[in-house]
Amino acid sequence: MAVFFNITISPTPKPPKPFTSSLSPPQTQISKAPQKPQQNPIFKIKGPSTLSGHISISGSKNSSLALLAATLCCSGSSLLHNVPNVSDIKAMASILTYLGAKVEAFDGNMIVNSDGVGNVEVDMEEMKKIRGGFFVIGPLVARFGEAVVDLPGGCEIGNRPVDLYLRGLSALGAVVELRDGKVRAHAANGKGLAGGRFRLDYPSVGATETLMMAASLADGITVLSNVAKEPEVVDLARFLIDSGASIEGAGSDNLVIRGKSQLHGSECVITPDRIEAGTFMLAAAITHSCISMSPIIPSRLSCLIDKLSEAGCKISQFNQHTLEVSAVPTYIGDNLKGFDIRTSPFPGFPTDLQPQAMALLTTCTGSSLVVESVFDKRMSHAISLVSFCPLIWIVRELQKLGARIRVCGSTALVFGKDEGSSLHGSRVFASDLRGGVSLVLAGLAAEGTTEINNIAHIDRGYENIDRKLQHLGVDIQRLTPVACPL
Ligand code: EPU
C-alpha cells in the first residue's frame, strides 16, 4: 500500500447546515477485514413458477455508489438512508475506509465522515471489483488536491474507457497522467480545481457524476454539456445541492455548476432502484403472473412500462409509488407479443434491463430485435476477437435453457415460443450482474430445475433476490458448493 502524503485539513468555518445524527449508535463499523477465500454460491430454481404478492424495492445501487463517492466532497458527516445491502456497496465502503473515511453502517443506513481522509491512493483490489470506485477521482482531486486510481473494474462488459472523466478533469485544471497502469491526477496550480467548460462526446453517467462532484468544489463556474440525464445523476445533484453545492440543470443536457469552497454533510434517502423494479416487472411478465411493488418512481421506468403494455401486460398504478404488473392468462390471454428494443441513454430503454428483456422475449410470440447501443462498440469488437462478450455469453447461456437467439454484432434476433424457443431447466453460469439475473428470470419460466452458478455477480446488485422471490412463491434455493477434498 502506498500512501503518498498525509493531508492536514485546515480548520474550516462551521458549515451552514451540518448533519448531526440523532440516531442510535451505529452497529457496524466498516473496516477492511482480511479477505477469506470466497465460495461462489449457486441458485437452484424449480420452474415453471407463478408469482403473486407484493415486494419492496430496495434503494438504488447506482445512486448509492455515486452518493457514497460524493461524501468525500463533504466536511462533517453525511447520513444516507435506504442503502441496499449488496456487495458493490460493501466494496465502495471499503474504498472510502481505505482512504481514511469513517464509514458506519446499520439497518440500511450509512454514515460517512471523510474529514479524516489522509490517503489519496485508492485500494486497487477493491477498485477492480466495481466501476463506481472510479468516481472518487473527482472528489479526491477537488477536495484533497490529488488522486491515484487504478483503471476501473465492475461487470465484465467489455472495454469501458474513462477518457471523458480524464479530459473533463483536465478542463477543470487537473493534470492527469497514466503511469504504471494507474491514473494520477493533481490540481495543476497545486491548490485546487478551477471552473471550466467541457462537452462530453457521449452522455456518460459516470463521467457526468464525477465531473459534477469535482466542479462543485472548483473555483468558479463550470458548464458541462451533453451530460447524462439518468435519474441517478439527478439524485446525486440533489444530494450535492443539499450539501451546499450550486447546480442547475440536472436531468437536462447541460449543467451549470458554481463551485463552492466547501460542502457540508447532509442527510438523504436513496431513491428506489429502477433496475431492480424493472427486473421484477419482467419477472411478472415472463411467469404470466400478477405482482405489485413499491416504492417505485414510475416515470423512471416509462420506457419499460410502454414495452410491457405493447406486449399485452396490464400495468396499473395504485398510488404515487405502487405499481401492479399483471400478465395472468385469464385477463390478458395465453400469449405476450414480442417487441423490439434498442437500448439508449435515459429516457430510452436501459441497457441494464436488456438481458432480462431478452429472456422475456424468448417466451413471447413472434421474433424480436434487441439492439445494444450503449455498449455497442465493445460488443462488435469482442465478437471479432472471439474474446469475452457479455451479449454472446448471455445468449449462449440462454440457449442452454432452450432459447433460440441469433447474434450479429450488437444486435440479437430473438425467436419467440412459436418460433423455436422453449425454456427448460439446465445448468448455466452468470457472467455479469444483469446477464446473471436474466438467467434467474429464464429459470422462473423454464420447465424443470435450473442451476445458476457464479451468483456472486447477482449479489453485486440485487438485495436478497432469492428471499424476495421466495416471498412471491418461487421455489428458489441458495446453495453453497461443497469443496471436493483432493
Ligand atoms: N464511455 C466512454 N468514455 C468514458 C466513459 C464512458 O466512451 O470516459 C462510454 C462507455 O464505453 C459506454 C457508454 O459511454 O459505451 C456508457 O457508459 P457510462 O459511462 O454511461 O456508464 P457507467 O457510468 O460506467 C453506469 C452504471 C451502469 C449502467 C451505465 C449506463 C454505475 C456504477 N454504473 O455505468 O450500471 O449500465 O451507467 O446506464 O452507475 C449496472 O448497474 O449493472 C451497470 C453496469
Side-chain angles (χ1 to χ4, degrees):
M1 153 179 138
V3 179
F4 284 136
F5 55 81
N6 288 319
I7 294 167
T8 318
I9 300 169
S10 54
T12 47
K14 208 172 173 15
K17 261 196 338 181
F19 159 72
T20 45
S21 172
S22 57
L23 297 168
S24 52
Q27 290 154 9
T28 314
Q29 168 104 26
I30 307 274
S31 58
K32 192 148 171 60
Q35 303 266 318
K36 276 196 242 154
Q38 288 192 344
Q39 295 273 30
N40 203 335
I42 60 178
F43 279 152
K44 253 193 182 166
I45 302 174
K46 284 201 185 121
S49 315
T50 302
L51 278 53
S52 68
H54 179 90
I55 45 142
S56 298
I57 300 300
S58 301
S60 161
K61 165 184 79 84
N62 288 345
S63 289
S64 302
L65 288 171
L67 265 65
L68 284 169
T71 61
L72 287 173
C73 295
C74 304
S75 310
S77 295
S78 296
L79 171 61
L80 310 183
H81 299 280
N82 199 32
V83 182
N85 183 9
V86 294
S87 60
D88 271 14
I89 297 297
K90 289 177 191 145
M92 184 56 128
S94 294
I95 287 174
L96 297 180
T97 307
Y98 185 88
L99 293 171
K102 201 167 163 232
V103 182
E104 296 156 335
F106 60 109
D107 299 338
N109 304 298
M110 284 179 104
I111 298 179
V112 186
N113 185 315
S114 55
D115 289 345
V117 165
N119 173 24
V120 291
E121 177 159 1
V122 173
D123 177 2
M124 302 311 170
E125 279 312 304
E126 296 298 337
M127 261 304 295
K128 286 194 187 109
K129 294 184 190 161
I130 52 164
R131 168 81 172 177
F134 198 74
F135 299 171
V136 302
I137 192 172
L140 279 179
V141 77
R143 184 170 168 206
F144 302 106
E146 188 169 12
V148 182
V149 189
D150 211 354
L151 288 168
C155 274
E156 286 288 347
I157 48 181
N159 172 25
R160 293 170 70 175
V162 290
D163 55 310
L164 298 172
Y165 297 66
L166 306 188
R167 283 168 41 217
L169 286 172
S170 302
L172 297 183
V175 175
V176 183
E177 296 168 286
L178 261 174
R179 217 175 340 123
D180 310 326
K182 291 176 184 173
V183 180
R184 295 164 192 272
H186 66 269
N189 63 9
K191 287 187 273 175
L193 298 180
R197 299 182 84 87
F198 183 66
R199 183 184 164 78
L200 283 77
D201 300 336
Y202 183 92
S204 153
V205 176
T208 300
E209 292 174 340
T210 300
L211 297 175
M212 197 200 297
M213 291 186 262
S216 293
L217 286 172
D219 184 19
I221 298 178
T222 296
V223 179
L224 302 174
S225 46
N226 195 32
V227 295
K229 296 187 284 233
E230 265 66 5
E232 295 73 23
V233 171
V234 176
D235 289 349
L236 173 64
R238 196 169 299 142
F239 173 76
L240 289 168
I241 291 167
D242 285 349
S243 303
S246 166
I247 300 170
E248 284 166 32
S252 76
D253 293 315
N254 302 303
L255 291 170
V256 178
I257 302 160
R258 290 175 174 78
K260 297 287 167 93
S261 56
Q262 87 171 85
L263 303 182
H264 55 79
S266 61
E267 185 171 357
C268 170
V269 180
I270 303 292
T271 57
D273 194 310
R274 64 190 173 106
I275 305 301
E276 187 200 17
T279 302
F280 277 102
M281 290 168 73
L282 288 158
I286 201 170
T287 55
H288 288 267
S289 302
C290 176
I291 61 170
S292 60
M293 61 195 77
S294 67
I296 78 162
I297 302 175
S299 57
R300 294 183 168 188
L301 280 158
S302 46
C303 195
L304 178 66
I305 291 172
D306 290 349
K307 290 291 177 189
L308 287 178
S309 305
E310 185 187 326
C313 294
K314 191 164 168 285
I315 314 237
S316 322
Q317 193 175 333
F318 290 154
N319 56 42
Q320 215 189 344
H321 294 303
T322 309
L323 209 69
E324 182 188 80
V325 181
S326 174
V328 175
T330 337
Y331 299 111
I332 64 142
D334 286 334
N335 298 315
L336 288 176
K337 253 189 319 146
F339 50 88
D340 296 336
I341 303 169
R342 181 183 187 87
T343 65
S344 56
F346 189 81
F349 196 92
T351 183
D352 293 341
L353 286 173
Q354 178 256 100
Q356 302 90 309
M358 185 155 21
L360 168 66
L361 292 171
T362 66
T363 66
C364 293
T365 54
S367 47
S368 311
L369 273 183
V370 176
V371 182
E372 175 54 61
S373 81
V374 174
F375 292 107
D376 57 345
K377 285 183 219 120
R378 103 213 157 197
M379 283 185 177
S380 34
H381 172 74
I383 291 165
S384 66
L385 289 178
V386 201
S387 62
F388 178 79
C389 169
L391 185 66
I392 297 286
W393 180 289
I394 188 60
V395 166
R396 203 183 63 189
E397 298 305 294
L398 285 172
Q399 282 167 343
K400 287 187 197 164
L401 294 172
R404 185 168 169 237
I405 304 172
R406 278 204 191 142
V407 181
C408 177
S410 50
T411 300
L413 179 60
V414 184
F415 298 93
K417 67 178 195 179
D418 51 346
E419 299 199 356
S421 286
S422 170
L423 298 185
H424 54 75
S426 186
R427 182 164 186 245
V428 287
F429 291 81
S431 64
D432 69 281
L433 168 57
R434 308 302 174 186
V437 86
S438 80
L439 298 174
V440 172
L441 297 200
L444 298 179
E447 282 284 343
T449 301
T450 300
E451 181 185 303
I452 303 160
N453 292 261
N454 284 347
I455 62 166
H457 284 296
I458 300 172
D459 291 334
R460 290 185 46 206
Y462 289 88
E463 183 174 51
N464 295 329
I465 189 170
D466 44 337
R467 276 195 254 154
K468 288 188 181 184
L469 286 169
Q470 281 162 0
H471 173 75
L472 294 173
V474 174
D475 185 345
I476 178 169
Q477 284 176 284
R478 176 184 290 262
L479 306 171
T480 305
V482 182
C484 260
L486 288 174

